[in-house]
Amino acid sequence: MHVFGLIGNPVGHSLSPPMHEAAYRELDMDAKYVTFEPDPDAVEAAIEGAAALGIDGLNVTIPFKQDALGVVEPDELAARIGAVNTIDFSTSPPRGYNTDAAGVSRAFAHHDVSLSGTDAVVVGAGGAARAVAVTLADACNRVHVANRTVEKAESLAADVRADAPATVTAGGLDSLDGCVSTADVLVNATSVGMEEDVTPVPADLLHGDLAVLDAVYTPVETRLLRDAAAAGATTVDGAWMLLFQGVVAFERWTGRDAPVEAMNAALRAQL
Ligand code: NAP
């Protein structure tokens, strides 16, 4: 039997087990997806133990994505993002990847949104924003990072700018006023909208030529996405990003095309 899983703390409410197990059922695979919740100071031992036990692959979530970077051999993209969310134990040392980035680009592609040559705005400068900003800076013409804490936006923009062809700028949330009206793509990578029906982007800035992805997926339909739809924008909910990071992890571990529809149905049944 193949064993895959997730390490994080906490992982109790993770949507990854039903999503991956749906793929195993669909493809009639002899495989299990298990969650592990090690103590924060035992993450290195946990990853090394997983390799010793013959576990095939692990997803990594908060708060271990940065720790994992130092325990496995990260590929170039994971190193640039500064976080590993997928470990492949088929090599020694195990390899680390960041599939959140592909989650963003495949979520847009699935909605027929091309990022090539576009002007993009990322709201947020935390862990999710880092993966989003690196992904957009590799494809877009310009990327603006807007964050409540301006210093974090500037620091993220400086890191991203160093390795990407795009023009990357930064500012506070007030800088949204000057850039959303001309943008083609907007991604909310803050947690705003998760617990309350609020949005980080004033509705009057949104327009019909925008494609808007909200990384928040609880609720699936956030206030930002409702406002964006009302303005005539293309909307991409956060469950698509979550789905495709899982799809890419599955494909990396197994070398097979993921059964995207089955995984999507299982994911959405939980939301
Ligand atoms: P994080 O590292 O803690 O970053 C949080 C971000 O939200 C920071 O930029 C923070 O700004 C901003 N923020 C928090 N409260 C705010 C407020 N009241 N007003 C304005 N900005 C605020 O978190 P993360 O891991 O990046 O996660 C961010 C969101 O993305 C979460 O909702 C998470 O569930 C989601 N996510 C989704 C996926 C997916 O696959 N769909 C993947 C990863 C994460 P400051 O820097 O000023 O504090």
Side-chain angles (χ1 to χ4, degrees):
M1 175 186 285
H2 293 286
V3 179
F4 304 97
L6 170 71
I7 58 167
N9 197 335
V11 289
H13 294 100
S14 171
L15 301 170
S16 291
M19 179 169 68
H20 283 274
E21 297 229 325
Y24 310 151
R25 271 195 309 280
E26 183 73 13
L27 298 181
D28 205 15
M29 288 171 59
D30 186 17
K32 282 294 279 181
Y33 190 98
V34 189
T35 57
F36 301 98
E37 207 171 87
D39 284 337
D41 58 1
V43 63
E44 184 172 345
I47 292 171
E48 287 169 357
L53 287 169
I55 286 175
D56 295 83
L58 283 179
N59 285 134
V60 184
T61 189
I62 289 169
F64 301 140
K65 289 184 183 186
Q66 286 78 26
D67 299 318
L69 196 68
V71 187
V72 301
E73 195 169 287
D75 77 346
E76 192 201 337
L77 184 63
R80 280 172 64 203
I81 293 169
V84 160
N85 81 329
T86 299
I87 303 173
D88 178 4
F89 290 102
S90 67
T91 60
S92 181
R95 295 277 285 162
Y97 302 94
N98 189 304
T99 68
D100 286 332
V104 173
S105 48
R106 287 200 43 186
F108 276 120
H110 187 81
H111 290 78
D112 297 323
V113 175
S114 168
L115 299 175
S116 177
T118 56
D119 281 10
V121 176
V122 182
V123 192
R130 194 160 274 273
V132 170
V134 167
T135 306
L136 296 179
D138 282 348
C140 302
N141 194 28
R142 287 168 44 89
V143 177
H144 181 76
V145 181
N147 192 49
R148 177 177 63 178
T149 309
V150 183
E151 296 74 26
K152 284 202 213 163
E154 285 169 347
S155 165
L156 173 54
D159 289 350
V160 172
R161 193 183 292 131
D163 295 309
T167 302
V168 185
T169 54
L173 292 179
D174 55 351
S175 66
L176 292 171
D177 288 352
C179 61
V180 175
S181 62
T182 54
D184 308 294
V185 170
L186 182 141
V187 179
N188 173 38
T190 73
S191 46
V192 178
M194 223 166 103
E195 282 171 6
E196 288 176 85
D197 192 35
V198 290
T199 173
V201 183
D204 59 2
L205 298 180
L206 303 168
H207 55 86
D209 294 329
L210 261 183
V212 178
L213 187 159
D214 197 338
V216 172
Y217 54 85
T218 49
V220 174
E221 192 185 70
T222 59
R223 169 125 176 236
L224 170 62
L225 292 184
R226 287 202 315 274
D227 290 346
T234 301
T235 59
V236 183
D237 68 54
W240 291 108
M241 177 178 164
L242 183 64
L243 169 70
F244 282 110
Q245 64 74 32
V247 162
V248 175
F250 175 94
E251 292 179 345
R252 188 159 288 283
W253 290 328
T254 66
R256 302 176 69 166
D257 287 341
V260 175
E261 279 177 29
M263 293 174 77
N264 187 37
L267 174 62
R268 287 187 189 263
Q270 303 294 315
L271 285 167

